[in-house]
Amino acid sequence: CSMVGSLDPGLVAKHPALARASLELDSRLVLIDPSTNTDKYYILQIVANGDDEYFLWTRWGRTGSGGTGNLDEGSRDEVYELFATKFKEKTGVEHERAASGAYAPLPGKYKWLAVAKTGASAKWEYFVDDFVDGKRTGWYPYTDDASEVVEMLYHDYVVAKNADMANRFVKSGHFTYAVDLSSSAGEYTQRNTSTGKERKIRRNAAP
């Protein structure tokens, strides 16, 4: 969790004036409970805008949702102290100790993930073979928002190499989907946790 990835898209969308700000500290936290199909995230980022403007950006919610974002401004020391306080509050571990790699996440608390800079994104598609909504058999694109969510999960697991993040739960409308990215051959799936319907999904990196 000591690496720095990329500015959270939620920050850029809500505060476009900070789109070119410098990301100084970055932490992506998740809390997953397969027994209840629960998957929540908590993002913490320290952003510097020039030499004298410092902000702590936090965004949290159910995976699949835009969640709630908050921006706090203060001195550099104040913002770093607030980051440390919130990190420990969510994980139960001090950030410096978590970053050292010598401490494991605590049961029932948020887990910190390795982060990496985002590169070229891809679009995601799902396969229909049951004529749902009158659709012919074939591949269909996710909505842009849904595609961005699954691309972030792929980034967490494949790019940032969080080995235990292959199986996630994504909230979409009234349903929750279990997304399985564990296939080394790219044979990924999504399963509606209410109906049990499973579909093949794929990452389309073509421009």
Side-chain angles (χ1 to χ4, degrees):
C1 67
S2 59
M3 297 175 63
V4 174
S6 301
L7 285 174
D8 177 43
L11 168 63
V12 177
K14 192 171 183 179
H15 301 280
L18 296 177
R20 296 184 178 276
S22 174
L23 179 58
E24 292 206 350
L25 196 57
D26 186 11
S27 190
R28 182 173 173 83
L29 312 177
V30 295
L31 181 61
I32 302 171
D33 183 357
S35 69
T36 58
N37 302 325
T38 299
D39 191 319
K40 300 190 291 185
Y41 65 88
Y42 199 99
I43 295 169
L44 288 157
Q45 295 191 330
I46 291 180
V47 178
N49 192 32
D51 296 328
D52 56 0
E53 286 188 326
Y54 289 89
F55 304 89
L56 174 65
W57 168 252
T58 52
R59 184 165 67 90
W60 63 92
R62 291 286 296 270
T63 297
S65 73
T68 301
N70 184 68
L71 189 67
D72 290 294
E73 183 176 4
S75 68
R76 189 175 191 276
D77 287 346
E78 288 171 340
V79 167
Y80 269 79
E81 183 177 352
L82 185 56
F83 178 102
T85 298
K86 288 185 178 292
F87 185 94
K88 186 173 182 180
E89 174 187 300
K90 294 299 176 182
T91 66
V93 177
E94 293 179 355
H95 179 256
E96 290 80 3
R97 293 182 174 183
S100 74
Y103 288 78
L106 302 178
K109 303 291 282 187
Y110 278 79
K111 171 185 173 62
W112 53 91
L113 302 182
V115 296
K117 290 188 179 297
T118 54
S121 62
K123 297 295 185 181
W124 285 80
E125 302 172 334
Y126 63 96
F127 190 73
V128 169
D129 59 1
D130 58 354
F131 303 105
V132 63
D133 298 329
K135 293 178 179 176
R136 300 173 62 181
T137 298
W139 290 96
Y140 291 84
Y142 277 48
T143 64
D144 288 345
D145 287 346
S147 186
E148 288 176 8
V149 169
V150 180
E151 180 69 0
M152 179 55 73
L153 303 188
Y154 175 88
H155 181 85
D156 287 344
Y157 176 54
V158 177
V159 181
K161 302 185 186 305
N162 292 285
D164 55 351
M165 289 290 114
N167 295 280
R168 303 291 298 274
F169 297 91
V170 179
K171 181 75 171 175
S172 180
H174 297 296
F175 296 109
T176 297
Y177 294 89
V179 175
D180 185 349
L181 303 176
S182 62
S183 170
S184 59
E187 297 174 351
Y188 310 130
T189 63
Q190 66 172 38
R191 176 177 53 82
N192 187 312
T193 59
S194 297
T195 67
K197 177 63 181 179
E198 183 172 286
R199 298 188 187 280
K200 293 185 290 185
I201 62 175
R202 70 181 182 184
R203 185 175 187 264
N204 186 354

